[in-house]
Amino acid sequence: MKKNKILNFSLFLFAMIFYNNVVGQNQVFKYDLTYKPNPLKDSTISEKMILDIDDKILSVFRTEFERKSDSLIEKTGFGLGRKPRFEDQFYIIKKRSDHEIRKNIQTIYAEIFSIKINEKLDWQILPEKDKIATFNVQKAKVNYGGRNWTAWFTTEIPIQDGPYVFSDLPGLIVKISDDKNDYNFSLSEIKNGSEKIHYRNNGSELTWEQFKRLSENYYSDPFARMKSSGLPIKVDDGNGNAVTPDMKIQTDKTKKQIKENNNPIEINHRINYQ
């Protein structure tokens, strides 16, 4: 209850500020993401996500961890760790002025790739209305990535954006989920941002077919390049000690994780790992 009161006050306070002087500044919208990595199991993963909006120029959606890493890279040249599974990466860059959306992927070797999202969001705005936190919201539906999504947006924040690729409704998306309840995004906090947004470059552009080949090659031997380098490989044994791992065990473990946790948002591009 206390958390909900804080959330309601935070959103209400921002709404009051927004109408007065926020337009033209950067804004930060925090979302809670809950998703099922394995559609056959009930277990979920929760992530703290950030949507940074630079007025009408661009927006960047990523995890809180990735946002910190991007800032560190800008300041020091070195970032934080990367996720081993591509299916768990939700980094999206929207060039709002050009109506361009790119999904950004980073490998464990710090290589960056991007996929241009050409799938059109054909929204159906419904008459049903409700209230979430302090905001009056309206219902909308869309199909994206082979999933049917239900969104709730508010015109009280006239920003046509939202989590992940979702945008172009007549207001900010406060909540959105798919009909299988595999993915749920919920707005949790709003605040003013800094003057500059630090984010990844686009990297090498891939088509979905090229991304499929990249994923399959990585799955076939996730540590191939690491093993071929000849450099000593160390991992944490769980007690803070660096030990030399059994690479066959590590490879089999990673391949199992990739194969079993294969529930991407773009289910129409799901890869059949063998």
Side-chain angles (χ1 to χ4, degrees):
M1 180 66 70
K2 184 177 180 181
K3 182 179 179 182
N4 289 337
K5 286 182 178 179
I6 293 172
L7 170 60
N8 289 349
F9 178 75
S10 173
L11 296 180
F12 171 76
L13 182 62
F14 178 85
M16 295 298 293
I17 296 172
F18 183 90
Y19 288 121
N20 293 323
N21 58 11
V22 169
V23 176
Q25 299 179 15
N26 296 343
Q27 294 97 47
V28 179
F29 299 89
K30 294 189 177 184
Y31 288 85
D32 290 330
L33 164 62
T34 302
Y35 68 99
K36 294 180 182 178
N38 188 329
L40 302 179
K41 296 181 180 181
D42 292 331
S43 58
T44 61
I45 293 176
S46 296
E47 294 268 21
K48 293 291 184 182
M49 310 297 297
I50 307 286
L51 175 65
D52 282 296
I53 296 181
D54 182 5
D55 198 17
K56 296 180 180 180
I57 301 173
L58 65 84
S59 68
V60 183
F61 184 77
R62 56 200 156 171
T63 64
E64 198 168 48
F65 184 86
E66 288 168 331
R67 189 173 186 259
K68 290 177 182 177
S69 181
D70 289 342
S71 294
L72 281 173
I73 290 172
E74 182 71 21
K75 295 173 183 177
T76 69
F78 299 96
L80 304 174
R82 290 158 287 279
K83 292 184 176 182
R85 297 199 306 262
F86 297 152
E87 286 74 19
D88 290 340
Q89 298 193 31
F90 312 105
Y91 200 117
I92 296 291
I93 300 172
K94 302 186 187 105
K95 295 289 180 69
R96 293 158 58 82
S97 56
D98 299 329
H99 302 286
E100 179 182 283
I101 302 176
R102 290 184 180 273
K103 181 182 176 75
N104 199 286
I105 300 291
Q106 189 172 38
T107 71
I108 59 173
Y109 304 106
E111 299 164 311
I112 299 174
F113 300 94
S114 67
I115 303 169
K116 189 173 182 180
I117 303 298
N118 294 316
E119 186 174 344
K120 184 180 178 182
L121 297 176
D122 189 13
W123 289 102
Q124 178 187 5
I125 297 178
L126 304 173
E128 186 176 347
K129 296 183 179 181
D130 205 340
K131 199 173 186 74
I132 297 178
T134 62
F135 294 119
N136 294 307
V137 295
Q138 188 168 350
K139 192 175 185 179
K141 290 192 173 185
V142 73
N143 181 279
Y144 170 74
R147 297 178 184 273
N148 296 312
W149 299 84
T150 297
W152 293 91
F153 68 94
T154 179
T155 57
E156 293 171 5
I157 300 181
I159 294 177
Q160 298 182 3
D161 211 331
Y164 202 59
V165 303
F166 303 108
S167 59
D168 294 333
L169 281 169
L172 183 75
I173 296 173
V174 175
K175 185 175 181 179
I176 186 167
S177 59
D178 71 302
D179 61 357
K180 296 180 183 296
N181 207 34
D182 285 350
Y183 285 87
N184 290 274
F185 298 90
S186 295
L187 182 66
S188 60
E189 186 179 345
I190 310 172
K191 63 179 184 178
N192 290 345
S194 59
E195 293 183 2
K196 185 177 181 180
I197 299 173
H198 303 299
Y199 60 100
R200 294 178 192 164
N201 59 49
N202 284 331
S204 301
E205 185 172 340
L206 299 177
T207 63
W208 280 110
E209 185 58 35
Q210 290 169 329
F211 173 69
K212 178 176 181 291
R213 291 198 292 271
L214 174 71
S215 302
E216 289 173 336
N217 289 337
Y218 172 66
Y219 172 77
S220 66
D221 192 348
F223 305 107
R225 287 173 54 183
M226 199 178 294
K227 290 184 290 188
S228 65
S229 69
L231 297 174
I233 300 171
K234 299 290 184 179
V235 297
D236 192 317
D237 66 354
N239 297 310
N241 302 310
V243 297
T244 302
D246 183 317
M247 291 311 296
K248 183 180 186 311
I249 292 176
Q250 290 293 319
T251 297
D252 290 345
K253 180 181 178 181
T254 301
K255 290 181 68 172
K256 182 180 179 182
Q257 289 176 338
I258 293 171
K259 187 173 183 178
E260 291 184 354
N261 298 284
N262 185 17
N263 190 27
I265 287 186
E266 290 87 3
I267 201 168
N268 56 335
H269 293 294
R270 181 165 58 187
I271 298 163
N272 185 23
Y273 294 111
Q274 297 296 329

